[in-house]
Amino acid sequence: MNAVVPLTRKEKTGKRLAGTLRAVAKTPKGMIPKVRRPKFDFADSGDSLPRYWWDNDPVKTLLLAALSASFPAGERFFIDSVRHYQDRITDPELKKAVKGFIGQEAHHSREHDLMNGFLQERGVDLARLDREIQGFMNWMRKNLSPERQLAHTVAVEHFTALMAEEFLLKYDALDQMDPRMAPIWAWHAIEESEHKAVAFDVYKAIGGSEFKRVTEMMLVSIMFPLFSSIHLVQLMKEDGQLGNVKSWLGAVNYMWGKPGVFRKLLPSYFKFYSPNFHPWNHDARDLVEKAKKKWLGDWA
Ligand SMILES: [Fe+2]
Ligand SMILES: [Fe+2]
């Protein structure tokens, strides 16, 4: 009879280390973010667009609206933090990728600005949130070193890649949205996945500190959910939905219960803290290709 010989403590540690120290991925060759210039005509949606355009649900819809309010100012900050080091990049692929990154983020900023203006006209006060976020970004520009600002971008880019790959493109969120609102979110998610490693690769190329990368992620992990929650509560209150228990419980269940989209992306989130982290350790190109076919059509 074959007895199973238990691993010694040393062997167990070795096995664990082998898992942790596996080869670090790199950005795939030729992975240059493509700059697309879609136009989303929100005015066309007019009054026929439901007020709660994601799953007819106030919490879900206003959470995305709050996130959208943070994009124009946030993405201008990301662009500037990367652009600061643009001249120091010597690798030709990374130079091209930086241009693609700047082009993509500039268009996200522009289209979300238009979308926010459209929602503002429908009585969702995103202009105030935009001003607050702009104020915070200005504070960071003045008070943080360029390296810390880039570390901030690297951390938030990990968040956006997770949201894109392990939430929007993976589950049925886009299908639950009104078809006039889903394409902008699909386009944005696809491009966030395409350029997810650009800021990280620039940070590595300039010799960015690991301490700053990790501590900035810790700060972002507190600030991002905190600001998003405060903004969501404010928007819910302004919409007279603060006491909508059904919507709150439904959204909490969706995020943390079943399917538990946020709960399920926690393991990927924590990988950021590994010294071997690289955004392309998680290759989501299959998912992105499928989404491109479904949502981008001719301009994929
Ligand atoms: Fe973006
Ligand atoms: Fe991005």
Side-chain angles (χ1 to χ4, degrees):
M1 204 167 92
N2 285 334
V4 178
V5 182
L7 291 177
T8 63
R9 212 165 141 191
K10 204 172 157 191
E11 282 168 336
K12 274 185 194 163
T13 312
K15 219 176 159 190
R16 254 202 321 271
L17 274 177
T20 319
L21 298 177
R22 73 184 194 283
V24 180
K26 282 189 181 147
T27 301
K29 245 192 145 10
M31 190 67 222
I32 310 296
K34 178 179 172 181
V35 182
R36 305 171 181 88
R37 294 176 175 81
K39 294 261 181 294
F40 302 98
D41 198 355
F42 302 107
D44 259 4
S45 313
D47 291 337
S48 62
L49 185 79
R51 180 148 193 91
Y52 303 120
W53 38 263
W54 178 13
D55 204 19
N56 263 317
D57 186 79
V59 173
K60 282 169 152 182
T61 302
L62 294 175
L63 178 62
L64 280 196
L67 288 179
S68 181
S70 74
F71 291 154
E75 293 181 314
R76 282 194 295 271
F77 178 92
F78 303 158
I79 291 172
D80 290 343
S81 67
V82 169
R83 195 179 263 151
H84 180 84
Y85 292 105
Q86 202 171 4
D87 292 347
R88 283 173 53 179
I89 305 301
T90 50
D91 178 73
E93 283 252 322
L94 187 53
K95 267 174 179 279
K96 280 189 220 161
V98 165
K99 280 189 186 158
F101 170 83
I102 291 173
Q104 287 191 337
E105 293 291 34
H107 283 279
H108 299 168
S109 182
R110 183 183 172 278
E111 291 303 318
H112 276 275
D113 214 10
L114 292 172
M115 182 184 128
N116 297 347
F118 169 71
L119 294 176
Q120 180 80 23
E121 279 173 19
R122 289 164 55 98
V124 187
D125 191 8
L126 300 184
R128 183 181 52 79
L129 304 192
D130 181 54
R131 279 195 302 276
E132 278 178 27
I133 291 153
Q134 186 62 61
F136 181 60
M137 294 298 161
N138 289 345
W139 180 88
M140 288 207 294
R141 284 171 204 267
K142 244 189 241 157
N143 293 287
L144 302 186
S145 68
E147 186 187 350
R148 176 64 78 172
Q149 291 185 39
L150 185 58
H152 178 87
T153 298
V154 170
V156 181
E157 283 289 292
H158 183 54
F159 262 109
T160 51
L162 286 181
M163 294 275 284
E165 295 172 351
E166 305 216 21
F167 169 27
L168 282 178
L169 301 180
K170 197 167 179 177
Y171 294 94
D172 53 357
L174 293 166
D175 295 311
Q176 292 175 347
M177 283 181 210
D178 185 277
R180 289 160 291 190
M181 289 304 251
I184 185 172
W185 292 97
W187 162 69
H188 198 161
I190 286 164
E191 295 196 346
E192 285 305 317
S193 176
E194 286 178 346
H195 74 226
K196 64 181 172 179
V198 177
F200 181 90
D201 287 344
V202 171
Y203 191 75
K204 286 283 169 183
I206 62 142
S209 112
E210 275 298 278
F211 175 76
K212 285 189 180 130
R213 182 178 75 84
V214 165
T215 51
E216 198 52 36
M217 179 51 116
M218 290 171 178
L219 290 171
V220 166
S221 304
I222 297 168
M223 287 183 314
F224 191 52
L226 181 69
F227 285 157
S228 303
S229 305
I230 291 171
H231 289 156
L232 171 62
V233 168
Q234 289 170 340
L235 292 180
M236 285 289 281
K237 194 172 172 203
E238 286 161 13
D239 248 34
Q241 294 291 329
L242 199 54
N244 190 335
V245 178
K246 190 174 168 235
S247 178
W248 283 112
L249 290 179
V252 168
N253 188 42
Y254 183 78
M255 306 303 180
W256 298 104
K258 264 190 180 173
V261 290
F262 284 0
R263 175 171 52 82
K264 284 184 183 161
L265 58 75
L266 283 179
S268 303
Y269 159 77
F270 281 112
K271 286 184 181 148
F272 187 88
Y273 294 100
S274 159
N276 288 331
F277 171 77
H278 186 281
W280 281 99
N281 282 343
H282 178 68
D283 191 337
R285 276 178 290 181
D286 286 353
L287 194 66
V288 170
E289 279 311 311
K290 264 189 223 153
K292 274 160 69 175
K293 277 195 191 106
K294 180 170 176 181
W295 295 101
L296 302 192
D298 291 345
W299 41 277

